[in-house]
Amino acid sequence: MMRKRKWQTVVFILLIGLLSFTYVHLNKLFFSPEEVFYAYERGLRSGPSEEIIREFAQENGGLLLIGRQKEGLFVASVEKHLGIFWRMKSGGVNGLFPIEKEFDGYLMQDGTYIGLCFNSEITEIFCIAGNDSEQNWREYSCQVGEDGFFFCETGLDGAENYDAYEEGRNADGEVLYTIGDEGLAQSLRSGSFTPKAKGVTKPFITAPTAE
């Protein structure tokens, strides 16, 4: 009888382990944010990232992980599940944000402006962001890190706004590279901005999202 109970206990433990493994696998759960990030990269056949260069806390819990690839930035929004697991965050903006120029940036849905610079002479990025309907264009500046990454908080809703102009300067303030509507930048800086001076050159880009 004792031997039978021991065997039943072993079977019960193995069954629990099998069901737990199945649950974790089917629900794509992992034990760390980094595991989720790299699994998502593999799923999209992207990367792998050279490294995860930033982690940002998000509202309502979760983390925004940003990795650096040769092609640009790979972004993954993750959240905790059942206290011990991590998974992709539902509704988050995820995927590859390509950088094909000397630098480029993206306005995320939470209003964070992020980007990557490949020109080591550029130390500061200026970005004009807003939208045409409300005419709320404003300029933001970001310092470029040693790894080329830059970011700033705009407070804008990235689903309704976009970055219309980007400018890279060196340590002496000299403009080395520009992207977008220079006319909008000039009129805004001179104080002569009018609705007719606006321009749409680069809409907000939504990267692939998890299925």
Side-chain angles (χ1 to χ4, degrees), residues 95-116:
L96 176 65
F97 290 79
I99 311 294
E100 300 175 345
K101 310 175 182 69
E102 291 193 28
F103 75 86
D104 205 353
Y106 292 89
L107 185 63
M108 308 296 285
Q109 287 185 344
D110 64 359
T112 304
Y113 172 66
I114 67 170
L116 191 62

Side-chain angles (χ1 to χ4, degrees), residues 51 53-54 68 116-117 144-150:
E51 61 177 327
I53 57 177
R54 293 292 189 283
R68 175 174 178 152
L116 191 62
C117 179
V144 179
E146 293 183 359
D147 56 4
F149 181 73
F150 57 86

Side-chain angles (χ1 to χ4, degrees), residues 37-38 41 46-52 66-69 72-74:
F37 179 91
Y38 289 116
E41 267 193 329
S46 180
S49 290
E50 299 166 6
E51 61 177 327
I52 296 176
I66 301 175
R68 175 174 178 152
Q69 297 184 4
L73 296 173
F74 192 89

Side-chain angles (χ1 to χ4, degrees), residues 145-208:
E146 293 183 359
D147 56 4
F149 181 73
F150 57 86
F151 77 98
C152 64
E153 300 290 345
T154 67
L156 299 173
D157 181 350
E160 300 175 358
N161 300 277
Y162 65 94
D163 49 308
Y165 177 75
E166 297 162 289
E167 182 178 278
R169 299 182 185 179
N170 63 16
D172 296 324
E174 180 185 1
V175 177
L176 301 183
Y177 196 80
T178 64
I179 303 171
D181 192 340
E182 293 189 36
L184 171 62
Q186 293 174 1
S187 61
L188 184 65
R189 289 169 176 172
S190 66
S192 61
F193 175 77
T194 63
K196 291 185 180 180
K198 61 184 172 54
V200 178
T201 59
K202 180 186 171 187
F204 173 76
I205 297 176
T206 301

Side-chain angles (χ1 to χ4, degrees), residues 32-34 37 52-58 62-67 76 78 86 149 151:
S32 72
E34 292 76 16
F37 179 91
I52 296 176
I53 57 177
R54 293 292 189 283
E55 292 186 7
F56 294 102
Q58 295 182 302
L63 292 172
L64 181 71
L65 276 63
I66 301 175
V78 303
W86 288 86
F149 181 73
F151 77 98

Side-chain angles (χ1 to χ4, degrees), residues 1 14 40 62 65 70-71 73 94 104 132-133 148 203:
M1 181 65 69
L14 291 175
Y40 188 62
L65 276 63
K70 292 181 179 180
E71 295 81 7
L73 296 173
N94 308 289
D104 205 353
D132 294 323
S133 61

